[in-house]
Amino acid sequence: MDMTSRMTSHFDDAVDAFRASARELAPALTAGVELLFGALTNNARILACGNGGSAADAQHFVAELIGRFERDRLPLAGICLNTDTSIMTAVGNDYGFGAVFERQVSALGQPGDVLVAITTSGNSANVLRAIEAAHEREMQVIALTGKGGGQVNTLLYETDIHLCVPHDRTMRIQEVHTMLLHALCDGIDALLLGDPL
């Protein structure tokens, strides 16, 4: 395979991943929009977390909520749990890296808030602990995963939403995660701004 063919194969694989995700995740994605919209209109907040590329996704998502997505609107209440280096290093040093999100959810989360937990493997220990802490705080969870969902499958309640990308390659999962987060933003805006559906 020459390099051009290799590069073309990325587009083909990505298109397949998006099509499979559309078939499998559209109903759960719709439910995610409704959950987030309901929380925001009841003065609740959205907390988001992840590691590495998923941390960047969590930060991007919260930026779209507080800033804007495609249209001007009031800022929406979002908190990214992986951006405060003082909290992360203090908690990581004193309690271990596995506690960096859990402690923040326990401190900041309130009943009615929603945790958006992002882990491509579904096995990130600190994200798993954040989910457990969210449930203790009577919060619902939207989990974005891939690779079959990993240990996240064992933690989610029936009232939670699982957006598990049907793919095993991390890069493809992350690409779809970006689209899922954009779709959540678009859906929230559509409901807030009264778009015809």
Side-chain angles (χ1 to χ4, degrees):
M1 174 185 290
D2 63 26
M3 187 58 71
T4 300
S5 296
R6 185 183 183 94
M7 295 301 103
T8 301
S9 73
H10 282 291
F11 288 97
D12 294 337
D13 191 36
V15 168
D16 291 342
F18 277 97
R19 285 190 175 135
S21 297
R23 286 191 300 270
E24 293 189 24
L25 301 181
L29 189 57
T30 300
V33 169
E34 292 167 353
L35 174 60
L36 294 173
F37 176 75
L40 291 165
T41 55
N42 283 295
N43 294 317
R45 298 173 299 180
I46 300 168
L47 282 62
C49 65
N51 298 291
S54 298
D57 287 340
Q59 187 171 346
H60 178 177
F61 179 56
V62 170
E64 304 281 25
L65 295 175
I66 292 175
R68 66 174 191 154
F69 183 53
E70 292 186 314
R71 294 175 286 174
D72 286 331
R73 55 150 163 75
L74 293 173
L76 303 175
I79 302 170
C80 185
L81 305 180
N82 47 256
T83 54
D84 190 319
T85 55
S86 294
I87 290 174
M88 293 194 59
T89 54
V91 173
N93 185 61
D94 294 344
Y95 298 97
F97 191 65
V100 295
F101 303 140
E102 171 193 21
R103 300 272 307 175
Q104 293 181 77
V105 171
S106 295
L108 302 171
Q110 298 293 323
D113 290 347
V114 178
L115 174 68
V116 176
I118 310 173
T119 163
T120 57
S121 67
N123 295 319
S124 300
N126 54 7
V127 175
L128 297 173
R129 288 173 65 173
I131 292 171
E132 293 173 332
H135 288 150
E136 290 171 6
R137 302 294 294 167
E138 299 178 28
M139 298 167 58
Q140 287 177 265
V141 175
I142 298 176
L144 280 72
T145 68
K147 303 181 183 182
Q151 295 177 53
V152 165
N153 287 313
T154 67
L155 295 182
L156 296 181
Y157 294 172
E158 288 185 10
T159 53
D160 295 327
I161 295 167
H162 193 181
L163 299 172
C164 180
V165 177
H167 210 286
D168 290 327
R169 291 186 77 180
T170 299
M171 74 167 97
R172 296 286 96 89
I173 296 164
Q174 289 176 327
E175 289 159 1
V176 177
H177 280 180
T178 298
M179 197 283 303
L180 293 172
L181 293 169
H182 281 165
L184 290 171
C185 291
D186 174 72
I188 292 167
D189 280 7
L191 294 175
L192 282 173
L193 300 172
D195 289 357
L197 299 176

